[in-house]
């Protein structure tokens, strides 16, 4: 049976490997295909698509969009599959989200410095190596400087919700995220529903029904956070 990976990130957002390298990893793992679903950007899609075509594996252009969650401590991420990377609707949305992210990063770094941690924006930009800068890059710098020992600890102590350097970010409404994906020719899929942090099964069911009413067409079921 052929396997695929429909949720992969690259250095275009918060991934570890460049887009072409992600395609090579998928090929080396014996996958029949993959989707590149970087956070709030499709910048890595052309490179990954070209390498996947060279290697002879199927490729699906994608994106992962952060939306306003139904619970205070949860997250809502919506995957867009089969989007047109050149869509004006998508370009306008990603431009706004990346700009909001760029405004957030200096505020996080300022809070870390207020806590006595020696970290600069230039160090974080170097860590991102030209990709969309995000909290994972800040976490990597904290690990490299021995402030914490793991990326997880960086998020638990400083960068995650409830952490001492937490700064909230701009998100789209679920309606807007699903609409932009549809207008870009894509299909909307709820990512890792466990991260919604709903209090019970009834609330989870209602949330999914509400999203389906807005145009949601699928749910990611296989994920490392799922039992």
């Amino acid at each position: 049976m052929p396997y695929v990976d429909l949720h992969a990130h690259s250095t275009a957002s918060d991934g570890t490997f460049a887009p072409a390298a992600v395609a090579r990893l998928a090929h080396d793992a014996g996958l029949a295909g993959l989707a590149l679903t970087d956070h709030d950007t499709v910048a890595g899609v052309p490179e990954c698509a070209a390498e996947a075509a060279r290697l002879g594996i199927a490729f699906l252009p994608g994106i992962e969009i952060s939306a306003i969650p139904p619970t205070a401590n949860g997250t809502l991420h919506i995957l867009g599959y089969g989007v047109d990377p050149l869509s004006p609707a998508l370009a306008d949305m990603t431009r706004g989200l990346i700009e909001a992210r760029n405004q957030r990063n200096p505020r996080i770094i300022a809070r870390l410095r207020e806590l006595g941690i020696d970290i600069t924006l230039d160090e974080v930009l170097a860590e991102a190596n030209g990709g969309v800068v995000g909290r994972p890059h800040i976490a990597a710098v904290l690990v490299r400087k021995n402030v914490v020992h793991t990326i997880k600890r960086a998020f638990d102590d400083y960068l995650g919700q409830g952490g001492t350097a937490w700064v909230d970010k701009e998100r789209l409404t679920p309606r807007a995220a699903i609409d932009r994906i549809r207008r870009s020719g894509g299909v909307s899929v709820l990512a890792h529903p466990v991260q919604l942090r709903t209090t019970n099964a009834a609330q989870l069911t209602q949330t999914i029904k509400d999203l389906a009413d807005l145009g949601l067409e699928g749910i990611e079921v296989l994920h490392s956070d799922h039992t």
Side-chain angles (χ1 to χ4, degrees), residues 88-195:
L90 202 61
D92 179 61
M93 179 199 69
T94 56
R95 191 181 305 113
L97 291 174
I98 291 171
E99 178 58 32
R101 190 185 294 262
N102 289 340
Q103 294 175 9
R104 178 194 195 197
N105 295 321
R107 295 170 60 197
I108 295 174
I109 291 168
R111 289 198 179 184
L112 289 169
R113 293 184 65 83
E114 289 170 2
L115 293 169
I117 296 170
D118 179 21
I119 184 172
T120 67
L121 180 58
D122 285 343
E123 289 175 313
V124 177
L125 291 172
E127 187 70 36
N129 194 28
V132 177
V133 181
R135 288 178 300 159
H137 302 114
I138 300 173
V141 173
L142 294 179
V143 171
R144 181 160 49 79
K145 303 188 88 166
N146 293 317
V147 177
V148 291
H149 294 302
T150 65
I151 297 290
K152 183 179 184 303
R153 177 56 63 184
F155 274 84
D156 289 346
D157 290 353
Y158 298 106
L159 307 176
Q161 194 166 356
T164 52
W166 164 256
V167 175
D168 206 354
K169 70 174 181 177
E170 182 177 328
R171 297 177 179 87
L172 298 180
T173 65
R175 181 186 298 276
I178 291 171
D179 179 66
R180 289 302 180 103
I181 291 170
R182 179 188 58 78
R183 288 167 56 193
S184 304
V187 172
S188 299
V189 172
L190 173 62
H192 38 64
V194 68
Q195 292 185 12

Side-chain angles (χ1 to χ4, degrees), residues 17 22 25 42-43 45 54 62 72 79 102 104 122-123 126 140-141 144 157 163 165-166 169 179 191 206-207 209 214:
F17 298 97
V22 173
L25 285 169
V42 289
V45 164
R54 188 186 72 81
L79 295 156
N102 289 340
R104 178 194 195 197
D122 285 343
E123 289 175 313
V141 173
R144 181 160 49 79
D157 290 353
W166 164 256
K169 70 174 181 177
D179 179 66
Q206 186 59 54
T207 298
K209 285 182 176 179
L214 297 176

Side-chain angles (χ1 to χ4, degrees), residues 71 197-207:
T71 58
R197 302 284 186 259
T198 51
T199 55
N200 52 52
Q203 187 183 23
L204 175 61
T205 299
Q206 186 59 54
T207 298

Side-chain angles (χ1 to χ4, degrees), residues 23-80:
R24 289 193 291 273
L25 285 169
H27 176 264
D28 293 347
L31 298 181
L34 81 155
L36 188 69
T37 55
D38 278 311
H39 282 289
D40 303 332
T41 182
V42 289
V45 164
E47 179 185 325
C48 193
E51 185 66 2
R54 188 186 72 81
L55 296 169
I57 61 176
F59 179 78
L60 190 63
I63 191 170
E64 184 174 8
I65 301 171
S66 298
I68 300 170
T71 58
N73 64 336
T75 61
L76 171 55
H77 292 172
I78 299 175
L79 295 156

